[in-house]
Amino acid sequence: MGNLTTDSDNVEFASDDDVQAGVERSLAELGMTYEELEAQAKEGEFASERARLTWFMISPDVEHC
């Protein structure tokens, strides 16, 4: 990751570029494109637990806690 910024509570924030690089790295490790992962999500069938977790983290339509 690039340079993370820290607030007064020592919380680190990743830049948009850092997040994008992480998404690209995760998809490469899965061996699929965003579109392929999205298609699995629409079908409700993921090739692996890692694919499901990756979708949970990057999907714009999933409400994250």
Side-chain angles (χ1 to χ4, degrees):
M1 281 194 162
N3 295 328
L4 298 178
T5 58
T6 305
D7 70 7
S8 61
D9 293 325
N10 295 322
V11 175
E12 294 182 347
F13 297 91
S15 70
D16 289 342
D17 289 340
D18 289 332
V19 172
Q20 183 62 34
V23 168
E24 290 172 8
R25 189 170 33 255
S26 293
L27 290 170
E29 289 173 1
L30 288 170
M32 63 180 60
T33 65
Y34 178 88
E35 290 77 16
E36 291 169 328
L37 186 59
E38 182 179 40
Q40 289 183 13
K42 286 179 180 177
E43 293 172 11
E45 284 290 325
F46 290 96
S48 67
E49 181 66 8
R50 186 172 186 175
R52 187 188 69 77
L53 291 173
T54 299
W55 181 253
F56 175 79
M57 294 304 298
I58 67 174
S59 169
D61 299 326
V62 175
E63 185 174 323
H64 300 101
C65 300

